[in-house]
Amino acid sequence: MKEKLTSLWQKLFGDPVRAFGVVSLVFLLSLAIAPAKNYFSEWRHYQHSYLRMIRNRSDANTLQRHFQGGIHQIWLPELGVVDRCTSCHVGLKEASLTDVATQPFRKHPVVPHKLDEFGCVVCHRGQGAATTVAEAHNSTLAWEQPILPAKYIESSCGQCHRGPMLGTPQLNQGRALLKREGCVHCHTIKLPDGSPIQPNDDPPSLEHIADKTTREWIYAWLRDPQSYAASATMPNFKLSDDDARDVSAFLMANSAPLAGDRAKITAKPASDPSAGPSLYGESFCASCHSVQNAAGNLVGGDVGPELTRIGSKVKPEWLQAWLRNPRSYDPGTAMPHYRLNDGQVATLSGFLLAKTDSDLLANVHLDPATPEQIAHGKRLVSDYGCASCHEIAGIKKPENFAPELTRIGSKPITQLIFLPGMQHTLPEYIAGKIKQPRAFSPGLKMPQYTLAPAQIDALTTALLSFNERSFTLPPSLAVPGVPESDYQPAGKAGKLMSDLACFSCHRISGHGGDMAPDLTWEGSSVQREWLVQFFKNPGTLRPALIRRMPRFNLTDGEITELTDYIMTVYQNPAVDRDSMPLSGYPQGQVELGRQLFYGKYSCQGCHIVDTKTDKGYIGPTLTHVGSRLTAAWMYQWMKNPQALRPGTIEPNRAMSDEDARALTAFLMSQKGGAKQEIAKK
């Protein structure tokens, strides 16, 4: 063997000429490796496949002209992005490729951004500088930014867009859940401007809990909140029987009696068994509160707590005092003061107290608490961060109780501990942690939530949007959200509106809820007499809706106070409500408006004027609109509805002045009643 190797060496390197020739050949071969590797690269393979695919298409010539070979690159220096994705995805901008389902040749869906300005990785993540599928899409030893799963793609919108958008329902829901499910009570999440996200779930104070309920109910609630209310947002802390016993003991021992008049109502409930359900319905309690029906489905709103088993929870004296005036117990409650008389309070409380569950507390038997149990309960309340959500006398709200999540969307996976069988990606970790937090370690304090899969996906989407890029984004690319204002009405009317909790449903000057119409320009839009009658007996403008404004039993003086304030203060400077008459329009103009309503603009598709033939249930009914709205408001609405109420679904039809006046004349003639001036012919 040694002789053969020696002979081979002599043949190849026996003299300088032979050695030079061999070395030169090896050098040439090494130089050929780079172009050969480039020729057989993945991006070139996909470009060749693309050219073969388009060869037999009718638009082949156009596509061939548009095609550019080689490595494509988009450079976004202000974002620190180098994007070579279109080296393989060569058909993203070809409108004619909508019939192609094969990747990477599919046309990109329509988005409000230019692909050559934003590239791909800003939204889809991945390694933009890579030119192979493995490195571009997956985590590798060199980098760990895999491509974002499609179901979380809306999180990328949240990097730039700081407020809700029509095209991102999952992101919007996730951001809302972070506030509503109490996540930000424990976890600090700061916005790019440095301000923390504030919760809006409003957990009840526990300072006077003994006035409201019993220790037995607290025990059952702590063991499993969802056993009492299926819609309960409080998570399950998986407390042992002894821990729940001791926490309930501490909360009852720590409760202080509420000061003020708590005189028991002596009035008797109405003898008619239907009086309670009728009063509950007339007060539209279901607009905010839900109840499980016989099939186990929740029926009603989700603004207030579920009332399915309310009789097993509250003490009769507390419920009567609450119905008499909720603000005597909780000044900041979202529930309005109904001004019920003693008879109504007795009737409604009797109806609600009958909603019980005999099984809920059947097996709860607690001995009197010992000092040791109370002390242990206090330690548990501190350890589990109960004061992060609830006001508890003697317990300070903890700071930095749970890890900050401000940049959770950029957390390196090398810092994460994954469960067996879990994909090693950040989205999978976040979703798994939300779904079963204590599966990662039995010693963790994060409780178990009862979230639907869609809610977990929404929360994961929102958390992924809080990444490094969202904080380093140039201000010119950021789209700020509309901040919540702190507007509060003034004077006696302001106190009345606070007492009636108007902002729980209505939005005014950027503050309030979205269950009912925005009242910012209400004084310009409605007629005074209609508003007075509406306060006396609220009707409905949308028959298809279940939620209604309740009757608040206002006095004439209170109605006058509210009406004067609304008609004076809530004025749109662009609408002079006295500039157009409320009646007396020429018959010809009214007839022209009728023809435009039913013909050119087909308004009956969404609205009802003639109750016998019109089928429009999307918008408010217009049978009495001439007695409700001012003509000036109606005219300006026809011209540009979005200018008066941004976000309304009423389209801007770019009406001429003549058409807008005619339609206004027609609608102002709709006063309701048997003597309707105009009916559809």
Side-chain angles (χ1 to χ4, degrees):
M1 184 68 179
K2 184 177 180 180
E3 293 176 354
K4 291 181 179 181
L5 291 174
T6 302
S7 175
L8 179 62
W9 178 265
Q10 287 295 329
K11 289 179 181 179
L12 296 176
F13 302 102
D15 57 66
V17 174
R18 290 182 183 182
F20 177 77
V22 172
V23 172
S24 298
L25 180 61
V26 172
F27 182 67
L28 288 172
L29 289 174
S30 64
L31 290 176
I33 291 175
K37 184 178 179 181
N38 179 62
Y39 181 80
F40 292 106
S41 61
E42 278 188 293
W43 62 266
R44 192 180 297 277
H45 162 73
Y46 284 120
Q47 289 185 3
H48 289 164
S49 299
Y50 174 77
L51 292 174
R52 287 195 298 271
M53 182 198 74
I54 67 174
R55 187 176 300 157
N56 297 320
R57 292 176 60 93
S58 60
D59 55 351
N61 291 335
T62 301
L63 294 173
Q64 180 69 52
R65 272 197 320 272
H66 293 173
F67 173 76
Q68 292 181 345
I71 292 180
H72 303 170
Q73 178 169 293
I74 298 172
W75 182 38
L76 306 174
E78 68 275 18
L79 295 176
V81 169
V82 175
D83 193 324
R84 296 171 180 165
C85 302
T86 51
S87 300
C88 295
H89 296 269
V90 290
L92 290 180
K93 296 190 291 183
E94 298 295 345
S96 63
L97 295 183
T98 53
D99 60 326
V100 175
T102 306
Q103 280 286 37
F105 308 134
R106 286 202 305 235
K107 174 188 175 296
H108 196 284
V110 177
V111 292
H113 298 295
K114 294 181 179 180
L115 300 182
D116 52 0
E117 292 181 359
F118 276 80
C120 300
V121 297
V122 172
C123 296
H124 294 277
R125 304 195 186 182
Q127 320 299 337
T131 56
T132 66
V133 173
E135 291 184 337
H137 290 190
N138 306 315
S139 294
T140 68
L141 294 176
W143 41 39
E144 58 168 41
Q145 179 69 290
I147 198 167
L148 189 67
K151 66 177 179 179
Y152 302 126
I153 193 65
E154 290 179 17
S155 66
S156 298
C157 304
Q159 297 174 138
C160 303
H161 296 268
R162 309 292 159 76
M165 295 172 288
L166 293 177
T168 58
Q170 185 165 281
L171 175 63
N172 298 344
Q173 182 188 17
R175 286 170 164 173
L177 287 171
L178 287 174
K179 300 178 182 180
R180 179 169 181 174
E181 295 295 327
C183 308
V184 292
H185 282 296
C186 295
H187 297 278
T188 298
I189 303 179
K190 293 181 181 178
L191 298 172
D193 63 4
S195 62
I197 297 178
Q198 297 297 328
N200 60 12
D201 53 333
D202 191 26
S205 169
L206 303 182
E207 292 183 308
H208 313 293
I209 188 66
D211 285 354
K212 181 177 183 179
T213 190
T214 63
R215 183 185 172 199
E216 287 73 17
W217 182 87
I218 296 175
Y219 172 88
W221 170 264
L222 291 172
R223 292 289 289 118
D224 183 8
Q226 283 67 40
S227 67
Y228 168 76
S231 62
T233 57
M234 178 167 163
N236 191 333
F237 281 83
K238 302 293 184 179
L239 297 175
S240 66
D241 290 350
D242 288 351
D243 286 351
R245 175 201 64 197
D246 295 351
V247 172
S248 66
F250 166 70
L251 291 177
M252 293 299 286
N254 195 55
S255 177
L258 185 67
D261 181 17
R262 313 291 289 178
K264 185 177 180 180
I265 291 176
T266 58
K268 300 295 183 182
S271 57
D272 184 356
S274 65
S278 296
L279 183 56
Y280 183 89
E282 291 168 2
S283 301
F284 293 107
C285 302
S287 292
C288 295
H289 300 278
S290 62
V291 174
Q292 288 187 31
N293 60 17
N297 298 319
L298 285 175
V299 179
D302 58 0
V303 177
E306 181 185 331
L307 301 180
T308 305
R309 300 172 180 85
I310 185 67
S312 298
K313 173 183 179 180
V314 299
K315 295 179 177 179
E317 300 82 6
W318 181 90
L319 181 59
Q320 290 179 350
W322 176 267
L323 292 175
R324 185 193 289 136
N325 185 1
R327 277 167 183 72
S328 65
Y329 184 86
D330 181 3
T333 180
M335 182 166 169
H337 180 191
Y338 274 84
R339 292 158 169 73
L340 301 172
N341 60 40
D342 285 358
Q344 291 173 315
V345 169
T347 298
L348 188 54
S349 63
F351 169 72
L352 292 173
L353 290 169
K355 295 182 176 296
T356 60
D357 184 347
S358 58
D359 296 332
L360 182 67
L361 305 177
N363 297 318
V364 179
H365 305 288
L366 300 176
D367 295 328
T370 66
E372 292 76 17
Q373 291 173 349
I374 294 173
H376 182 235
K378 183 176 183 178
R379 288 196 300 273
L380 288 171
V381 166
S382 296
D383 289 345
Y384 281 102
C386 302
S388 296
C389 296
H390 301 280
E391 291 183 17
I392 306 173
I395 305 293
K396 184 180 178 181
K397 178 179 175 66
E399 297 181 3
N400 304 318
F401 180 74
E404 185 173 335
L405 302 179
T406 297
R407 286 175 169 83
I408 182 65
S410 293
K411 192 174 183 68
I413 60 174
T414 54
Q415 299 179 11
L416 304 177
I417 299 176
F418 293 90
L419 297 178
M422 177 181 286
Q423 293 183 23
H424 285 210
T425 65
L426 182 60
E428 285 296 309
Y429 173 83
I430 293 175
K433 196 67 180 291
I434 296 172
K435 185 177 182 180
Q436 286 186 304
R438 296 192 183 178
F440 291 79
S441 173
L444 294 177
K445 296 178 181 179
M446 182 171 172
Q448 180 66 53
Y449 282 83
T450 54
L451 297 168
Q455 292 176 308
I456 294 175
D457 287 345
L459 279 168
T460 303
T461 299
L463 290 173
L464 287 169
S465 72
F466 298 110
N467 57 28
E468 196 67 35
R469 178 170 289 143
S470 68
F471 285 84
T472 58
L473 195 73
S476 60
L477 295 179
V479 182
V482 178
E484 179 78 12
S485 79
D486 57 357
Y487 167 76
Q488 290 293 335
K492 293 181 179 178
K495 293 180 180 179
L496 264 175
M497 293 171 73
S498 175
D499 201 36
L500 298 173
C502 300
F503 288 100
S504 296
C505 300
H506 295 278
R507 196 169 187 82
I508 307 175
S509 298
H511 175 60
D514 59 1
M515 187 193 299
D518 190 311
L519 302 181
T520 304
W521 309 126
E522 188 74 357
S524 293
S525 66
V526 299
Q527 299 177 33
R528 179 186 177 84
E529 184 55 33
W530 176 87
L531 187 58
V532 169
Q533 295 304 318
F534 185 81
F535 278 132
K536 290 182 177 180
N537 187 21
T540 177
L541 306 176
R542 298 173 183 263
L545 296 184
I546 297 174
R547 291 176 171 176
R548 300 283 189 273
M549 178 168 162
R551 182 177 178 179
F552 289 122
N553 303 305
L554 297 169
T555 66
D556 290 344
E558 290 173 330
I559 291 174
T560 299
E561 188 71 44
L562 284 172
T563 303
D564 287 346
Y565 191 85
I566 289 172
M567 297 302 293
T568 303
V569 176
Y570 297 146
Q571 290 282 331
N572 187 315
V575 179
D576 180 1
R577 69 185 179 200
D578 298 322
S579 62
M580 297 179 69
L582 301 179
S583 59
Y585 290 91
Q587 185 62 33
Q589 192 176 37
V590 173
E591 175 59 24
L592 174 59
R594 186 194 68 79
Q595 294 176 8
L596 292 171
F597 185 93
Y598 287 106
K600 181 177 180 179
Y601 297 111
S602 298
C603 305
Q604 75 277 15
C606 296
H607 300 279
I608 294 175
V609 166
D610 189 333
T611 56
K612 296 180 180 179
T613 58
D614 296 346
K615 305 298 182 183
Y617 287 96
I618 297 175
T621 183
L622 303 177
T623 53
H624 299 77
V625 69
S627 300
R628 176 168 64 91
L629 297 181
T630 64
W633 174 270
M634 203 176 299
Y635 173 79
Q636 295 294 339
W637 182 269
M638 300 295 176
K639 294 290 292 180
N640 187 357
Q642 282 73 29
L644 297 179
R645 194 158 291 165
T648 180
I649 62 173
E650 176 84 13
N652 185 347
R653 301 177 182 273
M655 286 187 191
S656 65
D657 293 350
E658 181 183 6
D659 284 2
R661 289 192 184 94
L663 274 168
T664 300
F666 169 66
L667 292 174
M668 290 306 297
S669 69
Q670 308 306 311
K671 306 293 187 184
K675 295 183 179 181
Q676 190 89 352
E677 292 186 28
I678 299 293
K680 182 184 172 186
K681 297 181 181 178

